[in-house]
Amino acid sequence: KWIGQDVAWIISDDERMAFKELGTDEEREQFVEQFWLRRDPTPETVENEYKEEHYRRIAYANAHFASGIGGWRTDRGRIYIRFGAPDEIEAHPSGGSWQRPAEQGGGSTSTYPFEVWRYRHLDNVGENILVEFVDPTQSGEYRITIDPCEKDALTHVQGSSSTTQPGQTSPPCGVFLASGGGAGVGGRNQFDRLEQQAKLEKAPAVRFKDLEAVVDSRVMFNVLPVAVQVDYLRITSYSVLTNVTVQFENRELQFQAKDGVQKAQINLLGRVYTMSRRPVSTFEKALEIVAPAGMLEQAAKQKSVYQQAVPLAPGKYKLDIAARDTVSGAMARAEVVLDVPRFDDETLGASSLILAGSIQPLASKEAGGAMFAIGGRKVRPRVSGQFARDEKMAVYLEIYNSAAGGKIFYEVDNASTKQSVYRFSEDLKAGNQVTVERLFPLRELELGAYTMRVKAGHGEQGFERQARFEVVAQR
């Protein structure tokens, strides 16, 4: 499944053949490791930006291009995963009336939903690349096309003219396609379009690089308090986006005056190992916390949070977190066992239940690349689990492979008495991936600890996710 899903659109033919010749799991694991190392654009750093960006693209494709099948399997998903976000998108999600450009025959016509993606430059493909997608079935599944007439709905209606401009006797759609012209979908001749399509279908070029092993670092035991939360979200059945959220109490940090403000800095190191101690992923970050002049006391009451998304195959791992306050020298260490779940292609399942302070939409250019980004949303987990009574607690959950006719149930129990204090249910939408976003007011709850449960099921399939939280007077 790794070769058929995770890297299906970026693995070369030679690599695919070599992988199929391997005879043991150990050889395959080494192949996978070398596969990513060969593509690392910055071997001098511990991060593999190529791998992280690749899985971000898969997650984005699943969130935005799914249409009965996973978004990564669609034509738009394939192009997005291979080449990233286009520089421009001309979108016509409803189709309808459209004025054709001169190189496509001119005149007015009616179209199916379609999109044209423009890339200013693609390595090994060319300049000013236009990729057109059409949804002729109007089902939400856009397919790539090199025929600019495919979006023209009137060409498929017997007895209709694809040109509706009064008094015009322009040629039918497609006559001008062989005349050359600009770089548009209809401005190149048929051979140019076929050549471009062939280049788009090739896996991106591999960067062969010699890499050095990551140097092991020793860290001291806890002095600086640190809290860690881990959430799991599906990318494919073979890969899971493991969001590691790390939280520090600002009051435990040492601030110093610099450039007219108070600053504290934490150097953070995280490493994921297999249970046999084979390193899988490493990340590090310098976190700077700034308190404007006169605001140090207020800043000390707040918390500093950092999140790293790590794509992992299902299985058990060990996560080591080390941190150092660069001013005071205080250090922290946390060890967490990661039990990464497997999300089957056909079975009803769900991501981790994330309780957050807020859920906000992201601009398309930020989606996936910003801190706390999940698809097109910014979901900042409340690691402490504490919410003030005057807050609304945000709930985020992804449900996979849901069928029509199901229900989703919400329940809040008092952690001490085990008594239910809130119940609610609603219809569960059908889909390959359904996102649940809810805001729960807390003003009716007494101060204390609670458990939020979300469950759903139909037939023999079902799931339950839960998370604890605490209602406090103020944060």
Side-chain angles (χ1 to χ4, degrees):
K1 288 188 175 181
W2 177 83
I3 199 172
Q5 295 184 12
D6 291 42
V7 298
W9 307 136
I10 65 171
I11 191 168
S12 68
D13 292 339
D14 290 342
E15 287 174 319
R16 190 184 300 273
M17 292 176 60
F19 183 86
K20 291 181 178 179
E21 294 296 324
L22 300 177
T24 67
D25 286 343
E26 183 178 359
E27 290 176 341
R28 296 183 186 99
E29 288 180 358
Q30 292 176 353
F31 180 97
V32 171
E33 184 175 357
Q34 290 299 317
F35 178 90
W36 294 118
L37 291 178
R38 293 165 64 193
R39 289 163 168 78
D40 190 350
T42 56
E44 68 279 2
T45 66
V46 294
E47 294 92 354
N48 189 330
E49 295 86 353
Y50 183 98
K51 180 180 180 181
E52 294 174 2
E53 171 64 11
H54 175 69
Y55 280 104
R56 182 200 70 78
R57 292 179 185 181
I58 293 179
Y60 185 89
N62 285 339
H64 291 80
F65 305 138
S67 57
I69 60 175
W72 71 274
R73 297 175 58 189
T74 65
D75 284 356
R76 288 187 298 174
R78 182 176 74 255
I79 296 299
Y80 186 90
I81 290 168
R82 278 182 175 152
F83 303 107
D87 296 298
E88 298 176 11
I89 296 179
E90 178 188 345
H92 300 267
S94 302
S97 179
W98 182 63
Q99 189 72 27
R100 288 190 315 218
E103 65 268 17
Q104 294 185 34
S108 298
T109 188
S110 183
T111 70
Y112 298 119
F114 73 96
E115 292 184 359
V116 180
W117 292 10
R118 177 175 178 262
Y119 293 91
R120 296 188 182 94
H121 170 81
L122 290 178
D123 290 341
N124 302 311
V125 179
E127 309 293 328
N128 195 32
I129 301 300
L130 299 186
V131 188
E132 186 168 50
F133 304 91
V134 180
D135 179 17
T137 62
Q138 302 186 63
S139 63
E141 183 176 349
Y142 288 71
R143 66 191 188 196
I144 196 168
T145 181
I146 61 172
D147 180 5
C149 297
E150 188 168 349
K151 63 179 172 292
D152 197 325
L154 295 183
T155 62
H156 302 276
V157 179
Q158 186 175 4
S160 296
S161 169
S162 63
T163 300
T164 58
Q165 187 168 321
Q168 183 174 347
T169 58
S170 64
C173 177
V175 164
F176 292 97
L177 298 183
S179 64
V185 174
R188 291 180 174 176
N189 63 50
Q190 185 176 7
F191 297 105
D192 288 339
R193 298 196 307 276
L194 287 171
E195 181 182 9
Q196 173 181 298
Q197 182 65 18
K199 291 179 178 178
L200 289 173
E201 294 302 328
K202 288 183 178 180
V206 180
R207 297 181 178 180
F208 296 91
K209 294 183 179 291
D210 295 327
L211 302 173
E212 296 180 354
V214 177
V215 178
D216 289 333
S217 299
R218 297 186 61 185
V219 293
M220 298 176 61
F221 197 71
N222 287 15
V223 175
L224 178 67
V226 59
V228 181
Q229 176 175 321
V230 180
D231 298 302
Y232 306 106
L233 302 102
R234 183 185 72 175
I235 301 178
T236 69
S237 61
Y238 187 82
S239 296
V240 176
L241 193 66
T242 305
N243 281 348
V244 179
T245 309
V246 184
Q247 177 180 279
F248 300 92
E249 300 284 345
N250 285 0
R251 65 174 180 270
E252 302 290 345
L253 305 179
Q254 183 70 50
F255 287 80
Q256 65 178 181
K258 187 176 181 180
D259 301 328
V261 297
Q262 296 285 331
K263 292 184 179 181
Q265 181 169 312
I266 303 171
N267 288 344
L268 176 69
L269 170 67
R271 281 185 175 164
V272 179
Y273 302 88
T274 63
M275 299 307 287
S276 61
R277 299 300 295 178
R278 182 175 65 86
V280 175
S281 180
T282 303
F283 56 89
E284 60 182 357
K285 183 74 173 181
L287 309 177
E288 187 176 69
I289 300 93
V290 179
M295 302 292 289
L296 180 58
E297 183 177 350
Q298 181 177 347
K301 298 178 182 179
Q302 300 176 353
K303 307 175 192 298
S304 295
V305 184
Y306 169 78
Q307 187 178 87
Q308 178 70 33
V310 183
L312 294 173
K316 284 195 173 183
Y317 303 84
K318 182 179 178 182
L319 167 66
D320 281 349
I321 294 289
R324 178 176 179 270
D325 184 329
T326 62
V327 179
S328 68
M331 300 188 68
R333 181 176 180 181
E335 296 183 357
V336 181
V337 174
L338 306 180
D339 193 358
V340 182
R342 180 181 297 278
F343 296 105
D344 295 330
D345 291 329
E346 305 297 333
T347 305
L348 177 67
S351 69
S352 298
L353 176 62
I354 303 175
L355 305 184
S358 64
I359 300 176
Q360 301 172 342
L362 286 175
S364 58
K365 64 180 180 180
E366 296 179 311
M371 186 83 73
F372 312 113
I374 303 178
R377 293 289 187 268
K378 183 176 183 178
V379 184
R380 182 174 174 137
R382 186 67 61 82
V383 180
S384 66
Q386 293 184 337
F387 295 84
R389 292 184 68 182
D390 58 356
E391 286 187 286
K392 290 184 178 180
M393 181 175 67
V395 174
Y396 184 92
L397 183 73
E398 293 180 356
I399 301 176
Y400 312 119
N401 309 316
S402 65
K407 286 278 190 180
I408 181 170
F409 300 89
Y410 306 85
E411 184 172 355
V412 175
D413 296 340
N414 186 299
S416 299
T417 65
K418 308 301 181 184
Q419 293 183 341
S420 177
V421 297
Y422 178 87
R423 288 183 178 180
F424 173 70
S425 66
E426 60 182 344
D427 292 335
L428 174 59
K429 297 180 180 179
N432 178 261
Q433 178 173 311
V434 177
T435 299
V436 174
E437 300 176 15
R438 291 289 181 268
L439 289 176
F440 286 87
L442 304 174
R443 63 173 59 92
E444 300 300 326
L445 298 183
E446 299 293 333
L447 302 184
Y450 296 87
T451 300
M452 161 73 75
R453 290 186 175 87
V454 180
K455 56 186 177 180
H458 49 76
E460 298 180 354
Q461 298 186 20
F463 70 84
E464 179 177 314
R465 297 290 182 267
Q466 65 180 40
R468 291 176 64 92
F469 67 96
E470 183 181 3
V471 178
V472 296
Q474 61 181 9
R475 291 184 68 251

